[in-house]
Amino acid sequence: MKRLEDIEKMEAEQLEEAALRENIKVPAGLEERIKARLAAASIARESQPRKRWLPYTAIAAAAAIAALLALPRRLGEPELKDTFDDPYLAYAQLEQVFQTISDNINKINER
């Protein structure tokens, strides 16, 4: 038995000769099963539709993204910005907004 380092340094012919010298029994029908699997994989590969449209789709998507980035932001609407430096003020504003939403929902439910 050779060490792993010795086996890794061997060439393909040497590995094949060493394998043939060993008296290892191959399971019955292994060669047929391997050939059948390879044939099935080959048929499956050939039957799959070719994806020739993929590069065109990628180019179209990139062009659409570039066009969206080139367009000005919502016309007429100011760009939203952070308006609170103090987290307590931001939290108070958020509570007020949630309370307004809750009041409006309650008015709708009362009808």
Side-chain angles (χ1 to χ4, degrees), residues 73-99:
R73 298 257 180 207
R74 299 176 183 162
L75 299 174
E77 292 183 25
E79 188 173 326
L80 298 177
K81 296 181 181 179
D82 292 337
T83 56
F84 295 100
D85 293 330
D86 185 4
Y88 293 106
L89 291 174
Y91 186 75
Q93 181 67 35
L94 182 66
E95 281 186 332
Q96 182 182 358
V97 169
F98 282 158
Q99 186 61 46

Side-chain angles (χ1 to χ4, degrees), residues 13-100:
E13 293 90 20
Q14 293 172 327
L15 286 172
E16 189 174 339
E17 289 173 13
L20 292 174
R21 275 184 268 144
E22 296 287 327
N23 192 12
I24 300 173
K25 292 184 179 181
V26 177
L30 178 64
E31 185 175 353
E32 290 80 18
R33 290 192 312 234
I34 291 173
K35 286 180 181 179
R37 292 270 174 116
L38 290 174
S42 175
I43 291 170
R45 213 176 310 117
E46 290 173 1
S47 66
Q48 290 179 347
R50 299 198 178 176
K51 297 181 180 177
R52 295 181 185 179
W53 51 266
L54 189 60
Y56 301 115
T57 305
I59 292 170
I65 291 171
L68 287 175
L69 292 176
L71 293 175
R73 298 257 180 207
R74 299 176 183 162
L75 299 174
E77 292 183 25
E79 188 173 326
L80 298 177
K81 296 181 181 179
D82 292 337
T83 56
F84 295 100
D85 293 330
D86 185 4
Y88 293 106
L89 291 174
Y91 186 75
Q93 181 67 35
L94 182 66
E95 281 186 332
Q96 182 182 358
V97 169
F98 282 158
Q99 186 61 46
T100 304

